[in-house]
Amino acid sequence: MSANKEIVRRLVNGVWADRNLAIVDELIAPDYVGHDPTQPEPIQGPEGYKQFVGMYQAAFEDGMVTIDDEIAEGDLVVTRWTGRGTHTGELMGIAPTGKEVTVSGITISRLANGK
């Protein structure tokens, strides 16, 4: 497995399986910019990433993201993932429903200097 794929796996598993947001400081660069269609503005730096993940963790206390597939080429890693959880907290103004939710997506990460 490529080093870049390992970094992305460490981030996903650290944040979701281990609930370790401290790993974000280790693996997300200070100049990180994340684009997510659910967010009106780009996610900026490690603190912005922690806030973004924290919002979903608060809304889905049992939330988990699993990596279904990864492809690496040069400085890019493409990750196909599935997120699952029970909607137990407010999310972007939506009251908790108590329903199980499954969502899938693809994230393209560009890595530099191990971050």
Side-chain angles (χ1 to χ4, degrees):
M1 179 176 301
S2 78
N4 285 345
K5 284 166 88 174
E6 270 300 316
I7 291 166
V8 172
R9 277 187 185 272
R10 282 187 59 219
L11 180 65
V12 171
N13 292 332
V15 167
W16 292 102
D18 301 337
R19 295 283 203 253
N20 175 14
L21 290 181
I23 201 166
V24 171
D25 294 320
E26 178 186 343
L27 299 177
I28 295 288
D31 60 348
Y32 169 85
V33 178
H35 302 279
D36 188 287
T38 67
Q39 301 302 297
E41 298 293 325
I43 302 158
Q44 302 282 332
E47 289 307 313
Y49 189 87
K50 286 188 229 178
Q51 289 173 3
F52 176 73
V53 168
M55 171 183 67
Y56 281 98
Q57 287 179 339
F60 299 92
E61 292 174 0
D62 64 348
M64 178 62 72
V65 172
T66 55
I67 294 174
D68 301 318
D69 230 348
E70 275 185 314
I71 300 169
E73 173 99 19
D75 64 350
L76 299 176
V77 177
V78 178
T79 307
R80 186 174 60 84
W81 51 266
T82 302
R84 293 178 178 84
T86 308
H87 186 198
T88 56
E90 183 179 320
L91 178 65
M92 294 182 261
I94 301 169
T97 63
K99 294 182 179 179
E100 291 234 356
V101 175
T102 300
V103 62
S104 59
I106 293 175
T107 301
I108 301 172
S109 305
R110 187 183 65 78
L111 288 90
N113 302 316
K115 295 187 175 201

